[in-house]
Amino acid sequence: MDKQKQTFDKAELDLLKEGLKRSYKERFEMATRLYKIQQTMNKATITHKPFISK
């Protein structure tokens, strides 16, 4: 279990280091993309129409 936690911590740190290497423009574009997805999901409604053939 301890070995698994160490690999998880290392992977998490690697992701953070990779994120810091990105330019401000790349960060802004990614944040904009995520914001647009969030807005779309907030507006989405789920409807269910039962499949009945007559």
Side-chain angles (χ1 to χ4, degrees):
M1 182 70 178
D2 191 39
K3 176 76 171 170
Q4 187 179 16
K5 178 148 176 57
Q6 287 176 345
T7 56
F8 180 75
D9 289 342
K10 184 182 180 320
E12 192 175 41
L13 284 174
D14 290 343
L15 283 173
L16 286 172
K17 288 178 184 176
E18 184 181 329
L20 289 173
K21 292 178 187 174
R22 299 186 189 280
S23 69
Y24 285 113
K25 182 180 178 183
E26 288 174 319
R27 293 181 193 179
F28 175 76
E29 289 173 349
M30 183 59 136
T32 304
R33 191 176 308 136
L34 291 173
Y35 178 74
K36 287 180 180 179
I37 292 170
Q38 180 188 18
Q39 292 299 315
T40 303
M41 295 303 285
N42 283 340
K43 293 177 187 175
T45 56
I46 298 173
T47 58
H48 173 68
K49 295 181 182 177
F51 182 74
I52 300 174
S53 60
K54 292 184 179 181

